[in-house]
Amino acid sequence: MPSPYEGPVQTLIDELGRLPGVGPKSAQRIAFYLLKVAPEDANRLARSIVEAKERVSWCRRCFNLAEGDLCVF
Ligand SMILES: [Zn+2]
């Protein structure tokens, strides 16, 4: 059945729904939550995702998470 939402709200729900373990109902709940919280709270979450993606990768040697080429282990 077609979703009643459109534009940025539907895009947000779609993207959240692609996360592991997040079904359509949860995606909708998280989207509504994010739309209700203060802008700085939503920005902090968005920034933390971008920053983690930029700075963290998988260690070449042991495949733990690492900031840089190799992890602390
Ligand atoms: Zn390592």
Side-chain angles (χ1 to χ4, degrees):
M1 108 185 163
S3 169
Y5 308 106
E6 53 184 33
V9 177
Q10 187 55 51
T11 304
L12 179 59
I13 293 172
D14 287 345
E15 289 302 319
L16 291 169
R18 295 170 61 190
L19 298 174
V22 179
K25 276 261 147 57
S26 300
Q28 195 171 308
R29 211 160 43 228
I30 297 167
F32 283 5
Y33 165 79
L34 289 171
L35 293 169
K36 262 189 295 189
V37 297
E40 59 264 33
D41 286 341
N43 280 329
R44 198 179 327 114
L45 173 64
R47 251 201 332 269
S48 71
I49 296 172
V50 172
E51 193 169 314
K53 284 301 287 181
E54 278 172 357
R55 291 175 49 180
V56 179
S57 56
W58 299 99
C59 173
R60 274 189 293 119
R61 197 170 297 161
C62 67
F63 305 105
N64 265 301
L65 284 170
E67 272 193 51
D69 252 9
L70 296 172
C71 71
V72 294
F73 300 111

